[in-house]
Amino acid sequence: MMQPPESMEEEFQDWYDLEHIPERACCEGFLSALRFVCLDGFPRYVAVYDLAHPDVLKGDAYKAISGTKFSPWSKRILPRVHGQKRLDGPQIYPGTARYGDAGAPGRMGLLRLSGLGAEDEDAVIAVLRQTFEAREDVLQLRLWRSNYHGEFCFVGMVEAEAGFRFDAVDLSQMGRYRRNVDLLNLYSPYWRRGILTGVFA
């Protein structure tokens, strides 16, 4: 997740649309590459990738387009963005589900629970299922365990219909785990600039 300064908004979109997302979408082991625009929260943009396995990020194909191998354009953009955060890890619920498996979401909610340990995994899965899965506007719930650079957390993705809002959810159902939520963002799927179905291709 990241947000460009206002002065770089246009270039940031071009970089993401024309280089960054296509580069990763074609990388071995990447099953999807999707962008979202934040409607409520910070930062403004997030990209979500489904991987064949978390170790894809340690493979030669990914190393060839990341880190010291970033393109000159990436090296220009990335140091200037705000709120940059990366979370990665294995999907712990529900197995191998991918974005959109339960239908086409009009909204995507992202929440992060920090300050917990691996021993909390079963309880976190249970409380998130209790909180979200019974709602008619929720299409699918997914949950990951992330330990990126030693920062352990759980990340939940709520795929929902267009009217979904976190402030309409009774988060008290999460019990004591509610206080561990330190990110609660609501997103809309991103539409690439200049693309209007049936008019521009």
Side-chain angles (χ1 to χ4, degrees):
M1 56 186 68
M2 63 182 89
Q3 179 169 319
E6 284 187 30
S7 61
M8 293 190 77
E9 180 78 27
E10 271 199 56
E11 184 182 2
F12 176 84
Q13 303 302 347
D14 287 339
W15 166 74
Y16 234 127
D17 289 343
L18 302 176
E19 180 181 278
H20 199 66
I21 283 282
E23 202 172 50
R24 275 139 189 80
C26 294
C27 183
E28 181 182 351
F30 277 67
L31 306 178
S32 69
L34 301 162
R35 289 189 65 195
F36 299 87
V37 180
C38 195
L39 303 174
D40 185 14
F42 173 85
R44 191 177 304 136
Y45 302 104
V46 68
V48 176
Y49 307 98
D50 281 309
L51 308 175
H53 191 276
D55 284 345
V56 165
L57 299 176
K58 299 176 184 176
D60 292 339
Y62 183 68
K63 287 180 182 177
I65 59 170
S66 63
T68 60
K69 301 290 185 172
F70 272 138
S71 73
W73 205 3
S74 292
K75 289 177 180 176
R76 170 179 162 73
I77 296 288
L78 289 171
R80 293 170 170 82
V81 299
H82 309 297
Q84 188 175 14
K85 174 70 76 174
R86 175 173 150 177
L87 304 164
D88 64 56
Q91 184 176 198
I92 57 175
Y93 179 81
T96 58
R98 289 173 59 177
Y99 180 79
D101 279 353
R107 294 289 180 268
M108 187 273 283
L110 207 58
L111 63 158
R112 180 181 62 200
L113 292 87
S114 300
L116 299 170
E119 67 278 5
D120 294 293
E121 182 172 310
D122 290 341
V124 168
I125 292 172
V127 298
L128 289 180
R129 291 188 66 189
Q130 173 185 316
T131 304
F132 294 104
E133 286 191 330
R135 293 184 58 88
E136 291 183 0
D137 54 356
V138 171
L139 303 172
Q140 180 171 254
L141 171 69
R142 300 169 69 193
L143 185 63
W144 291 267
R145 179 180 62 244
S146 178
N147 194 15
Y148 186 66
H149 285 296
E151 185 180 355
F152 187 92
C153 64
F154 294 101
V155 181
M157 176 189 285
V158 181
E159 298 172 32
E161 296 176 352
F164 176 85
R165 301 186 333 268
F166 275 123
D167 61 10
V169 178
D170 179 10
L171 295 178
S172 69
Q173 295 179 77
M174 297 178 64
R176 69 180 184 89
Y177 291 104
R178 174 64 182 93
R179 68 175 181 259
N180 297 99
V181 176
D182 62 357
L183 182 138
L184 197 65
N185 286 0
L186 184 64
Y187 296 89
S188 175
Y190 171 81
W191 289 85
R192 182 172 162 182
R193 290 183 315 136
I195 298 298
L196 186 58
T197 304
V199 181
F200 301 111

